Amino acid sequence: MQIQETKKTIFSGIQPSGILTIGNYLGALRNWVQLQEEYNTYYCIVDMHAITVRQDPSVLKKRCLELLALYIACGLDPEKNTMYFQSHVSAHAELGWLLNCNAYMGELSRMTQFKDKSAKQGNNIGAGLLTYPVLMAADILLFNTDLVPIGSDQKQHLELARDLAERFNNVYGQTFTVPEPYIGKSGARIMSLQEPNKKMSKSDENVNAFISMVDPADVVMKKMKRAVTDSGSGIIYSPDKPGISNLIDIYASCKGVTPKEVEKEFEGAGYGTFKEAVGTAVAEILTPIQQKQKELLSDKAYLEKIFTEGADKARYTANRTLWKAQKRMGLAPRKL
Ligand code: AMP
Ligand code: TRP
């Protein structure tokens, strides 16, 4: 694969911590696919982020490979994108350490996701949960990333990555590119089907709250029919109709249209008809992806080749940035 230095760089990652939902797809993965032509892209499976909460090792191992297969099944071309496991490139952890030494307890404990996740954990809150956004900053800064495609829940973490980059550059001299977020126009925040004021999450205890990327068409339809809607009627996109607005968002992003256009298409229609249309639109996207993922998972050697070559390529660039940062901080320099 040819690295084209003229192209701008993109880095993004997803945790292999559960079965992905259509929120991950519509908020992140689908945008990655669109960006692959124009950018030099690194799409990582961030396994070291997943272990900030305890994982069953045998399940995690399986999920890592499934996620790589899903990346490809969703349309990421292995010839055009660098795809690999974060733990295979040790520079992530090493730069994470350097940045930890420049991050403040205050800014980390203020992160919304830390507050949410630590509240759920009770007494023994893992230190990794607090320092996780620093590792995410390291992921991004290692590649002199220009753009980071993410769902809107990750905006705060990206802000921290920018702050850390600027702080480091100010103290030790220009080292890192300050990254920008890329948040898609639609689908940036898909909400729970059961509690539409809450983000759709793969770790939700209620399986009816999310549609997973492996849900078969009949399950998708069933979950859609059970989706909580609002009182009244009408397919109207409005903050006081969070349930129906979320379904409009899902439909709009599946079809590549605006919420206004959806309102028009379903003028006069009832909730039942609309829910069925949303279910069909989602299933039409999922079915071919599921078939492709299954095919890919039956060829482990092919997947291994992709993640090995991906890590080799990522390691080269990542080490150059790591060594530069180490040198800037006064650690004994080595030849680039
Ligand atoms: P995670 O599953 O937390 O590793 O998230 C992977 C990517 O999916 C990130 O860019 C998230 O912002 C995005 N994402 C996760 N859940 C949603 C959601 N409900 N709506 C939109 N984007 C999401
Ligand atoms: N923290 C992100 C999430 O939970 C995943 C992630 C880790 C990431 N490192 C990243 C996303 C770097 C973008 C860039 O969704």
Tab-separated table of all heavy atoms in Angstrom, residues 11-15 46 49 113 132 136 139-140 148 150 154 157, ligand 2:
chain	number	residue	atom	x	y	z
A	11	PHE	N	-7.775	9.201	11.889
A	11	PHE	CA	-7.672	8.064	12.809
A	11	PHE	C	-9.003	7.916	13.530
A	11	PHE	O	-9.594	8.910	13.950
A	11	PHE	CB	-6.570	8.289	13.863
A	11	PHE	CG	-6.415	7.107	14.786
A	11	PHE	CD1	-5.433	6.161	14.557
A	11	PHE	CD2	-7.282	6.922	15.859
A	11	PHE	CE1	-5.321	5.030	15.386
A	11	PHE	CE2	-7.179	5.801	16.688
A	11	PHE	CZ	-6.189	4.864	16.451
A	12	SER	N	-9.475	6.681	13.670
A	12	SER	CA	-10.616	6.448	14.556
A	12	SER	C	-10.591	5.006	15.032
A	12	SER	O	-9.847	4.170	14.499
A	12	SER	CB	-11.947	6.777	13.874
A	12	SER	OG	-12.948	6.958	14.873
A	13	GLY	N	-11.380	4.728	16.057
A	13	GLY	CA	-11.393	3.373	16.603
A	13	GLY	C	-12.708	3.067	17.292
A	13	GLY	O	-13.449	3.966	17.672
A	14	ILE	N	-12.970	1.779	17.420
A	14	ILE	CA	-14.150	1.319	18.162
A	14	ILE	C	-13.677	0.232	19.131
A	14	ILE	O	-12.781	-0.556	18.813
A	14	ILE	CB	-15.233	0.762	17.203
A	14	ILE	CG1	-15.736	1.893	16.274
A	14	ILE	CG2	-16.409	0.166	17.987
A	14	ILE	CD1	-16.844	1.490	15.313
A	15	GLN	N	-14.297	0.218	20.294
A	15	GLN	CA	-13.934	-0.785	21.293
A	15	GLN	C	-14.617	-2.120	20.983
A	15	GLN	O	-15.816	-2.140	20.737
A	15	GLN	CB	-14.422	-0.352	22.665
A	15	GLN	CG	-13.900	0.987	23.083
A	15	GLN	CD	-14.226	1.272	24.538
A	15	GLN	OE1	-14.183	0.385	25.377
A	15	GLN	NE2	-14.549	2.512	24.831
A	46	VAL	N	-9.768	-0.842	19.146
A	46	VAL	CA	-9.085	-0.365	20.353
A	46	VAL	C	-9.327	-1.334	21.516
A	46	VAL	O	-10.066	-1.057	22.450
A	46	VAL	CB	-9.452	1.107	20.685
A	46	VAL	CG1	-8.747	2.049	19.734
A	46	VAL	CG2	-10.949	1.379	20.631
A	49	HIS	N	-8.647	-0.199	25.092
A	49	HIS	CA	-9.719	0.584	25.713
A	49	HIS	C	-10.781	-0.336	26.306
A	49	HIS	O	-11.353	-0.049	27.354
A	49	HIS	CB	-10.370	1.521	24.691
A	49	HIS	CG	-9.622	2.791	24.507
A	49	HIS	ND1	-8.625	2.938	23.588
A	49	HIS	CD2	-9.705	3.965	25.158
A	49	HIS	CE1	-8.136	4.156	23.672
A	49	HIS	NE2	-8.776	4.799	24.613
A	113	GLN	N	-18.151	10.683	30.497
A	113	GLN	CA	-18.182	9.226	30.407
A	113	GLN	C	-17.553	8.586	31.649
A	113	GLN	O	-18.023	7.553	32.124
A	113	GLN	CB	-17.467	8.759	29.142
A	113	GLN	CG	-17.932	7.392	28.703
A	113	GLN	CD	-17.304	6.979	27.392
A	113	GLN	OE1	-16.095	6.805	27.299
A	113	GLN	NE2	-18.118	6.805	26.372
A	132	TYR	N	-8.388	6.633	30.580
A	132	TYR	CA	-8.761	6.170	29.241
A	132	TYR	C	-8.736	7.259	28.160
A	132	TYR	O	-8.211	7.045	27.070
A	132	TYR	CB	-10.112	5.459	29.403
A	132	TYR	CG	-11.137	5.549	28.327
A	132	TYR	CD1	-11.567	4.396	27.674
A	132	TYR	CD2	-11.731	6.752	27.977
A	132	TYR	CE1	-12.550	4.453	26.703
A	132	TYR	CE2	-12.707	6.818	27.012
A	132	TYR	CZ	-13.107	5.673	26.370
A	132	TYR	OH	-14.069	5.736	25.409
A	136	MET	N	-6.726	7.486	24.491
A	136	MET	CA	-7.404	7.858	23.237
A	136	MET	C	-6.659	9.020	22.570
A	136	MET	O	-6.490	9.037	21.346
A	136	MET	CB	-8.857	8.233	23.532
A	136	MET	CG	-9.606	8.781	22.349
A	136	MET	SD	-11.393	8.725	22.629
A	136	MET	CE	-11.959	9.834	21.344
A	139	ASP	N	-3.659	7.597	20.892
A	139	ASP	CA	-4.037	6.923	19.635
A	139	ASP	C	-4.020	7.929	18.486
A	139	ASP	O	-3.473	7.680	17.416
A	139	ASP	CB	-5.477	6.378	19.702
A	139	ASP	CG	-5.702	5.362	20.806
A	139	ASP	OD1	-4.725	4.802	21.295
A	139	ASP	OD2	-6.892	5.153	21.170
A	140	ILE	N	-4.674	9.041	18.752
A	140	ILE	CA	-4.891	10.041	17.706
A	140	ILE	C	-3.588	10.776	17.366
A	140	ILE	O	-3.246	10.933	16.195
A	140	ILE	CB	-5.964	11.050	18.178
A	140	ILE	CG1	-7.303	10.327	18.405
A	140	ILE	CG2	-6.106	12.219	17.215
A	140	ILE	CD1	-8.331	11.136	19.188
A	148	VAL	N	-10.820	13.313	13.071
A	148	VAL	CA	-11.238	12.127	13.821
A	148	VAL	C	-12.753	11.946	13.698
A	148	VAL	O	-13.517	12.679	14.323
A	148	VAL	CB	-10.850	12.259	15.321
A	148	VAL	CG1	-11.161	10.972	16.075
A	148	VAL	CG2	-9.396	12.638	15.484
A	150	ILE	N	-16.124	10.648	14.649
A	150	ILE	CA	-16.685	10.068	15.873
A	150	ILE	C	-18.162	10.445	15.998
A	150	ILE	O	-18.627	11.388	15.355
A	150	ILE	CB	-15.974	10.627	17.134
A	150	ILE	CG1	-15.695	12.125	16.951
A	150	ILE	CG2	-14.733	9.836	17.495
A	150	ILE	CD1	-15.189	12.819	18.158
A	154	GLN	N	-18.243	11.359	21.828
A	154	GLN	CA	-16.788	11.379	21.988
A	154	GLN	C	-16.175	12.773	21.833
A	154	GLN	O	-14.960	12.940	21.876
A	154	GLN	CB	-16.135	10.420	20.973
A	154	GLN	CG	-16.485	8.965	21.203
A	154	GLN	CD	-16.023	8.481	22.566
A	154	GLN	OE1	-14.909	8.773	22.998
A	154	GLN	NE2	-16.881	7.771	23.271
A	157	HIS	N	-13.928	13.899	24.691
A	157	HIS	CA	-12.621	13.244	24.700
A	157	HIS	C	-11.711	13.833	23.627
A	157	HIS	O	-10.502	13.944	23.826
A	157	HIS	CB	-12.780	11.737	24.466
A	157	HIS	CG	-13.440	11.026	25.609
A	157	HIS	ND1	-14.059	9.819	25.483
A	157	HIS	CD2	-13.577	11.378	26.906
A	157	HIS	CE1	-14.537	9.441	26.654
A	157	HIS	NE2	-14.270	10.384	27.531
B	2	TRP	N1	-13.174	6.164	23.068
B	2	TRP	C1	-13.816	5.814	21.852
B	2	TRP	C2	-15.214	5.267	22.144
B	2	TRP	O1	-15.477	4.748	23.183
B	2	TRP	C3	-13.041	4.802	21.068
B	2	TRP	C4	-11.695	5.326	20.718
B	2	TRP	C5	-10.521	4.997	21.300
B	2	TRP	C6	-11.406	6.282	19.693
B	2	TRP	N2	-9.484	5.659	20.714
B	2	TRP	C7	-9.998	6.458	19.733
B	2	TRP	C8	-12.194	6.982	18.801
B	2	TRP	C9	-9.375	7.356	18.880
B	2	TRP	C10	-11.552	7.879	17.931
B	2	TRP	C11	-10.164	8.061	17.972
B	2	TRP	O2	-16.036	5.346	21.300
